[in-house]
Amino acid sequence: MIRALTGYSTRHPWKVIALWAVLGVALSALTPTLFARVTQNQAGNFLPRTYDSAAALHIAEERFGMNPDATTVTVLVARSDGKALGGGDRQRIETEAAKLGKRRVVMPRENDMPAFMVPDRSQTPRTAPAMTAPDGTFQLLAVELAGAPSDPGVQGVYRAFRDAARTQFAEAGMRTGFTGALAEAVDTTDSHELATKIGGALVTALIILLNVLVFRSVLAAVLPLLAVAMIGFVAAGVVAGAAMLTGLKLDASTPALLNVVLLGIGIDYLLFLLFRFREQLRDRPRQLAREAAGEVCARVGTAITSAALTIVAAFATLGLATFGQFRSLGPAIAAAVLVMLLGSLTLMPALLAAAGRKMFWPSKAALRPDPREGRAGRLGALIARRPAAMLLACVALLAALTAGLTGIRMDYGHGNSGTGTAAADTAAEIARTLPAGVSDPTSVFVTDNDGGVLTTGRLEGLSRALGQVRGVGKVAPTVLDQDHRAARIDLYPTADPGSREARELASGPIRDAVARHAPAGTSGHVGGTAAIFADISTAVDHDLKVVFPVAAALIALILLLLLRSLLAPVALMLSVGLGFAATLGAATLLFQHGLGEPGVNFALPLVLFLFVVALGTDYNILITDRIREEMRRPGSARSAVARAVRYTAPAIATAGVVLAGSFAGLATMPGNEQMAFAMALGILLSALVLSLILVPALAALLGRALWWPVRPGAAGAKGRPGHRTEEAAGEPERVTSY
């Protein structure tokens, strides 16, 4: 199958290139619209209905008309001179708010993008008075906008609404402030706009610069980016299309994560092909370029396929998760990686065949044999001489980083992303006179089990009991639905809705009070942001206990089948497990203990485990497969390890740095700093420490016993076909590298 794909692509390169180009252009135009239809904003919708907050969310949607994809902006309106609001002021505020609620906000068009390529988020926001400060200094308005806070179109609509509201109230002698998840997201995005552009440019420049330094070629530096971008467009379109056809809902952050993952993985695969293609042309200068491309892609295609399937298998285990955000992320990344694999076996070989030796233009030295041992050779020799010392050094480094796990906490809030923004300042101003949860209340929903009618009098005892719960600053009047079959009681906690205190309050004392004081014959459910994230915490804890061992067992099984050994897979799994613990420990040490953040992002352990273990295993497969090849040749096991490191290190190191650089690009997206740091560090540790030092050092110590029970041939065995042995040639053999 692999040889058939690569063979056809190298025989008919222009047909394959044209097909991918057409698909890439077409899907790049359709994908934004498709993703707009399959992403959802409300985190509670990712929870099974068995969770209390999910049941509350369902009641809010069915009985009270809540839009599950809506986000609420709280607008503070006060007099410009700082005086308390009078009766006339309140009337003006209501009048201006009514005008805003009737005005359609048109989404601004940016960068002259065609209208069909950008989902239209234009809308008429729902605006209503919310609450007045006890001292009368300001009044709050609740403004509901449809769409996810991370959606650029929704952010554009919010900016237009904010500017219009600010101007309109200023003309009436009022000042305004805006807060809420959307306001914080926009303020943070705007404050990071320059850094985001610079960061994206630096990642691109890093990839191009590394390729230029390694291959000394402009074409080899630019083509990987173009090829991966084209395949990435197709992969994103496939994911969005499949989600729409199957009804799968994706988190709003999925498209951005897919872009980063595909960029890094795709360039890794193309680098493996480029290194082997260059070595093939060096060893056989008279061979036709298309023939060389066919041989190389067929041979390396097996390694690439194994690497991709490892990632697919790892993320497939997310199908076992109860939290829908994880359960949808797994198939999305798995499908995208499969498309990238298909592109690696078709488009990339076609590009090599079409470009031939011009791939390394303008450098002439790139295709001349390099007799120097280089840094990789010296590293291999050092590991072969002192494997125990190198192994201990790696273990000591990883153990020191792992120690950072002490006292680790999960953070289900927004971290410190909104600190210092205008939205944060407005929230602080509100909290000085009103409960912190006034802009994002915890809501109690009550339904009658027998289909009877609810009244405010029947719920008075429950409302009074909720007001006596410590941590609840205020209880709003009970609201009944149209047929009086359901009721909502909004609570305004004194703690920030995104804080640990608010989650513990919602999941503990408030739910206890509802269970004890709900009227007989009724059911009570606690909803709202704090309750949702409390339940997400429970779901994630469950998923970690299920997904971790299943993913580890599945990856171990793949290694067992690929390496045909019992001891080698155990050694590799232990190494990547230690790498995962060290990476998570370093993230905890930096962000929780060093920068004082509430904890590490709740999704970080699971996503990090899958990426570091799966991608780290890819690099380990490359080095161990090469070590086994070299151990089949005559000579000692340590000399085989030295040769394997010498010829494989450049490809693994370059690929690791490129992939880490692409993950580091996530740091330019507000709120993703932890993910960017941890994933970049994890890839660097996997490539530079585990694959190039720890695993080879272990192989040098264990020798051919590493492959027990089927050991490679030792001294006296024949070299691989078409390659000279060191003893026969009298000089070090030039062998092709990954």
Side-chain angles (χ1 to χ4, degrees):
M1 178 67 176
I2 296 174
R3 288 185 177 274
L5 286 173
T6 57
Y8 179 86
S9 301
T10 52
R11 289 193 305 272
H12 308 283
W14 294 111
K15 291 182 180 179
V16 174
I17 293 171
L19 177 61
W20 276 101
V22 170
L23 288 174
V25 171
L27 289 177
S28 67
L30 294 175
T31 298
T33 302
L34 293 177
F35 268 125
R37 295 181 179 180
V38 298
T39 54
Q40 64 183 19
N41 174 40
Q42 180 55 256
N45 282 329
F46 287 113
L47 286 167
R49 193 71 58 82
T50 53
Y51 284 88
D52 192 54
S53 62
L57 183 61
H58 179 67
I59 297 172
E61 294 174 12
E62 279 199 343
R63 296 288 188 173
F64 294 92
M66 192 195 90
N67 182 355
D69 291 324
T71 183
T72 300
V73 175
T74 299
V75 183
L76 179 151
V77 184
R79 288 176 59 103
S80 299
D81 57 12
K83 295 181 180 179
L85 298 172
D89 296 323
R90 294 190 180 93
Q91 183 62 44
R92 280 195 297 273
I93 292 174
E94 291 182 7
T95 301
E96 298 302 327
K99 292 179 183 178
L100 289 172
K102 296 177 181 178
R103 182 181 302 166
R104 180 174 174 80
V105 183
V106 179
M107 185 184 76
R109 296 291 178 185
E110 299 180 359
N111 302 324
D112 297 324
M113 291 286 287
F116 71 90
M117 293 184 63
V118 182
D120 188 6
R121 297 300 191 184
S122 301
Q123 57 187 284
T124 302
R126 295 173 59 180
T127 306
M131 191 174 297
T132 302
D135 58 5
T137 54
F138 62 79
Q139 184 171 336
L140 300 181
L141 304 176
V143 179
E144 185 179 284
L145 292 170
S150 59
D151 188 318
V154 178
Q155 292 185 1
V157 169
Y158 163 72
R159 290 187 184 94
F161 172 82
R162 178 194 61 192
D163 296 343
R166 188 175 288 162
T167 300
Q168 192 167 314
F169 279 110
E171 292 174 353
M174 304 285 180
R175 67 176 178 88
T176 53
F178 304 81
T179 190
L182 178 56
E184 287 184 4
V186 170
D187 288 349
T188 306
T189 298
D190 291 346
S191 65
H192 288 72
E193 183 178 8
L194 180 61
T196 300
K197 293 179 179 178
I198 294 175
L202 287 176
V203 170
T204 303
L206 170 66
I207 294 172
I208 294 176
L209 178 61
L210 281 174
N211 287 351
V212 168
L213 293 176
V214 171
F215 297 108
R216 289 166 281 183
S217 163
V218 175
L219 200 57
V222 174
L223 267 185
L225 284 175
L226 295 178
V228 171
M230 196 62 64
I231 300 171
F233 289 145
V234 177
V238 169
V239 169
M244 191 171 67
L245 291 175
T246 59
L248 182 68
K249 289 296 184 180
L250 304 176
D251 182 68
S253 64
T254 300
L257 184 59
L258 281 179
N259 290 337
V260 175
V261 170
L262 292 175
L263 175 66
I265 293 175
I267 291 179
D268 266 12
Y269 294 166
L270 187 51
L271 284 175
F272 297 152
L273 289 169
L274 280 174
F275 270 99
R276 183 62 73 93
F277 185 55
R278 184 180 67 176
E279 294 299 329
Q280 183 81 1
L281 295 179
R282 282 177 172 179
D283 290 345
R284 300 181 181 180
R286 296 188 179 183
Q287 186 179 26
L288 292 175
R290 288 194 180 187
E291 182 182 334
E295 290 184 16
V296 165
C297 294
R299 186 162 57 242
V300 183
T302 303
I304 290 176
T305 302
S306 301
L309 293 181
T310 301
I311 299 174
V312 171
F315 277 92
T317 61
L318 285 179
L320 301 173
T322 58
F323 185 39
Q325 188 174 337
F326 291 160
R327 199 168 56 249
S328 65
L329 179 66
I333 291 183
V337 172
L338 285 176
V339 175
M340 183 58 69
L341 172 61
L342 180 61
S344 302
L345 299 177
T346 54
L347 177 59
M348 295 181 184
L351 290 173
L352 295 181
R357 288 175 171 80
K358 294 180 181 178
M359 176 67 75
F360 302 100
W361 178 87
S363 174
K364 296 181 179 179
L367 297 179
R368 288 201 296 264
D370 188 358
R372 295 175 301 173
E373 184 181 58
R375 295 185 182 90
R378 291 193 291 273
L379 175 63
L382 176 61
I383 293 173
R385 284 198 312 271
R386 303 190 178 190
M390 299 297 285
L391 180 63
L392 288 175
C394 289
V395 172
L397 170 64
L398 297 173
L401 294 176
T402 302
L405 289 173
T406 304
I408 185 174
R409 296 189 301 271
M410 295 297 107
D411 177 24
Y412 296 85
H414 303 292
N416 294 329
S417 60
T419 303
T421 63
D425 293 340
T426 300
E429 181 179 354
I430 294 172
R432 282 194 287 269
T433 56
L434 288 171
V438 70
S439 60
D440 192 356
T442 295
S443 300
V444 175
F445 294 89
V446 180
T447 58
D448 192 284
N449 296 332
D450 302 322
V453 175
L454 293 176
T455 63
T456 54
R458 187 179 175 190
L459 297 170
E460 184 178 350
L462 173 61
S463 181
R464 186 168 50 252
L466 291 171
Q468 295 173 354
V469 173
R470 184 176 181 181
V472 174
K474 187 174 182 180
V475 179
T478 302
V479 178
L480 300 173
D481 70 338
Q482 289 184 351
D483 57 6
H484 290 204
R485 307 275 182 180
R488 186 188 77 229
I489 305 174
D490 288 336
L491 312 178
Y492 304 110
T494 56
D496 186 309
S499 67
R500 184 177 183 180
E501 292 79 8
R503 294 194 302 275
E504 292 177 348
L505 176 66
S507 61
I510 292 179
R511 281 182 176 158
D512 291 343
V514 171
R516 290 197 307 268
H517 297 283
T522 66
S523 296
H525 303 281
V526 180
T529 300
I532 287 172
F533 278 106
D535 287 342
I536 288 176
S537 172
T538 303
V540 169
D541 288 343
H542 169 271
D543 292 343
L544 293 180
K545 295 174 183 177
V546 173
V547 173
F548 274 16
V550 173
L554 193 55
I555 293 174
L557 178 61
I558 293 174
L559 288 175
L560 182 66
L561 296 175
L562 287 174
L563 301 178
R564 299 183 297 279
S565 165
L566 294 178
L567 186 57
V570 173
L572 296 189
M573 288 303 297
L574 288 175
S575 71
V576 294
L578 186 56
F580 161 74
T583 305
L584 186 57
T588 306
L589 191 64
L590 174 62
F591 291 99
Q592 180 179 315
H593 301 308
L595 300 179
E597 294 193 6
V600 297
N601 184 280
F602 72 94
L604 183 61
L606 185 56
V607 174
L608 185 63
F609 174 81
L610 293 172
F611 273 107
V612 170
V613 172
L615 295 173
T617 300
D618 289 351
Y619 296 137
N620 281 347
I621 288 173
L622 291 172
I623 188 66
T624 51
D625 186 62
R626 189 51 180 269
I627 289 173
R628 182 171 56 184
E629 281 189 35
E630 296 299 333
M631 284 187 177
R632 289 190 178 122
R633 299 175 52 199
S636 68
R638 293 194 177 189
S639 63
V641 170
R643 290 193 302 271
V645 172
R646 174 184 176 183
Y647 296 119
T648 312
I652 291 179
T654 304
V657 172
V658 167
L659 184 57
S662 67
F663 280 134
L666 282 172
T668 62
M669 300 163 56
N672 287 291
E673 294 83 3
Q674 289 190 20
M675 198 75 73
F677 169 81
M679 288 171 56
L681 177 63
I683 294 301
L684 288 177
L685 288 177
S686 296
L688 305 182
V689 177
L690 300 180
S691 297
L692 296 185
I693 301 178
L694 190 149
V695 171
L698 192 61
L701 285 173
L702 296 176
R704 290 178 171 84
L706 177 66
W707 306 103
W708 181 87
V710 182
R711 302 186 183 186
K718 295 180 180 180
R720 288 179 295 144
H723 290 270
R724 301 170 298 166
T725 63
E726 294 180 12
E727 290 81 353
E731 60 181 0
E733 175 200 7
R734 283 202 56 78
V735 286
T736 58
S737 63
Y738 286 108

